[in-house]
């Protein structure tokens, strides 16, 4: 019976103690990182600051989002609805790019496609920064300032949805946005492109209806908080 060869197949000696030491060092570094993060959170909480760790979407975190643990139970349904309108805006603007791309392929020109792209790359982060995040923080902290800020820009979001659903011939005959007017226009010349535009129109209409319901509920919530004696100051 032969003993175990201390060399692996590549001729390199395997040292189990060195391997174990590396694992322990990695665990120790991770533990120190967690302790430092916990200390930062405790220090921030002592100063009244809320630490926001990016955790959504799960596979590639870009934003902090934790409705079940941060939003009061009575407001969670409304917060989920508002979040759905934000995701709906992302979907509608993304579909708008697809619809306008079909129009570009059919000879409508690249300019309308560039405008559709601008709507997307400005509307998605703009919607999050201007009205969704302030509203999230308002529900989390009962901040009057955040409520007012988000309410104002949510109204502008609704006005944009009205504009997008109609698609008036203001810029390049309105074909840079998948509204009802360019949908009929495209249907008369390219039926397939028209179908894509009609789907875009449906997305913007659905976004408009849900957003109008949501802002109504946000307004009622503001009134109820005023009746309860006002909101707390905004958290940092």
């Amino acid at each position: 019976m032969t003993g175990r060869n201390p060399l692996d197949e590549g001729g390199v000696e395997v040292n189990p103690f060195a391997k174990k030491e590396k694992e322990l060092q990695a665990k120790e570094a991770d533990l120190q990182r967690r302790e430092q993060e916990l200390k930062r959170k405790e220090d921030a909480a002592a100063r009244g600051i809320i630490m926001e760790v990016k955790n959504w979407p799960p596979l590639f975190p870009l934003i902090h989002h934790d409705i079940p643990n941060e939003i009061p139970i009575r407001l969670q349904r409304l917060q989920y609805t508002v979040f759905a309108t934000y995701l709906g805006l992302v979907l509608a603007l993304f579909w708008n790019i697809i619809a306008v791309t079909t129009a570009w392929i059919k000879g409508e020109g690249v300019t309308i496609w560039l405008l559709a792209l601008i709507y997307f790359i400005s509307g998605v982060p703009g919607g999050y920064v201007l009205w969704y995040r302030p509203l999230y923080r308002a529900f989390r902290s009962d901040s009057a300032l955040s409520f007012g800020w988000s309410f104002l820009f949510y109204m502008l979001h609704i006005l944009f949805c009205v504009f997008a659903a109609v698609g008036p011939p203001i810029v390049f005959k309105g074909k840079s946005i998948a509204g009802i007017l360019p949908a009929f226009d495209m249907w008369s010349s390219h039926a397939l492109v028209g179908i894509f535009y009609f789907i875009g129109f449906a997305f913007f209409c659905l976004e408009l209806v849900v957003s109008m319901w949501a802002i109504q509920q946000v307004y009622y919530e503001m009134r109820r908080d005023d009746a309860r004696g006002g909101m707390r100051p905004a958290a940092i």
Side-chain angles (χ1 to χ4, degrees):
M1 182 175 180
T2 60
R4 184 176 180 182
N5 192 340
L7 301 180
D8 63 7
E9 295 179 357
V12 180
E13 185 176 357
V14 177
N15 189 338
F17 297 103
K19 181 179 180 181
K20 189 68 174 179
E21 183 179 359
K22 289 182 179 180
E23 292 178 353
L24 291 175
Q25 289 176 350
K27 290 181 179 179
E28 183 179 358
D30 182 65
L31 180 61
Q32 290 178 353
R33 180 185 60 81
R34 291 175 181 269
E35 289 177 349
Q36 291 175 357
E37 181 179 345
L38 179 60
K39 187 176 184 304
R40 286 197 301 268
K41 289 182 178 180
E42 291 176 348
D43 293 342
R47 297 194 302 268
I49 301 174
I50 299 176
M51 297 289 292
E52 294 187 345
V53 179
K54 296 178 181 179
N55 60 352
W56 196 92
L59 297 180
F60 188 71
L62 296 173
I63 62 174
H64 175 78
H65 199 255
D66 193 7
I67 294 177
N69 295 319
E70 294 185 339
I71 305 301
I73 295 178
R74 65 183 177 86
L75 298 174
Q76 288 185 8
R77 178 171 175 265
L78 177 55
Q79 186 66 61
Y80 277 119
T81 302
V82 176
F83 186 52
T85 63
Y86 174 70
L87 296 181
L89 175 66
V90 176
L91 176 61
L93 292 176
F94 181 74
W95 182 265
N96 185 67
I97 293 178
I98 296 176
V100 175
T101 300
T102 62
W104 174 26
I105 293 174
K106 292 297 183 178
E108 292 297 332
V110 68
T111 306
I112 60 173
W113 184 85
L114 292 175
L115 285 173
L117 186 62
I118 291 173
Y119 298 153
F120 182 84
I121 62 179
S122 61
V124 171
Y128 175 75
V129 172
L130 294 176
W131 55 266
Y132 182 73
R133 185 173 63 179
L135 185 59
Y136 182 94
R137 291 178 174 177
F139 281 166
R140 183 178 64 187
S141 62
D142 282 347
S143 166
L145 179 61
S146 294
F147 260 119
W149 180 267
S150 59
F151 190 86
L152 172 63
F153 282 99
Y154 205 46
M155 284 292 297
L156 295 178
H157 159 69
I158 290 177
L159 292 176
F160 171 77
C161 290
V162 173
F163 172 83
V166 176
I170 296 177
V171 180
F172 299 101
K173 298 183 179 179
K175 293 179 181 179
S176 62
I177 199 79
I180 186 65
L181 296 182
F184 278 115
D185 187 18
M186 297 304 301
W187 176 266
S188 62
S189 55
H190 305 289
L192 180 61
V193 178
I195 292 175
F196 276 83
Y197 271 66
F198 276 117
I199 294 174
F201 162 69
F203 280 144
F204 283 119
C205 284
L206 180 61
E207 175 72 10
L208 174 62
V209 171
V210 179
S211 296
M212 290 182 65
W213 180 88
I215 198 172
Q216 184 182 37
Q217 299 304 312
V218 170
Y219 175 74
Y220 289 155
E221 186 60 35
M222 291 172 62
R223 295 293 300 273
R224 282 193 291 267
D225 280 334
D226 287 339
R228 287 196 296 266
M231 305 176 192
R232 295 190 297 271
I236 299 178

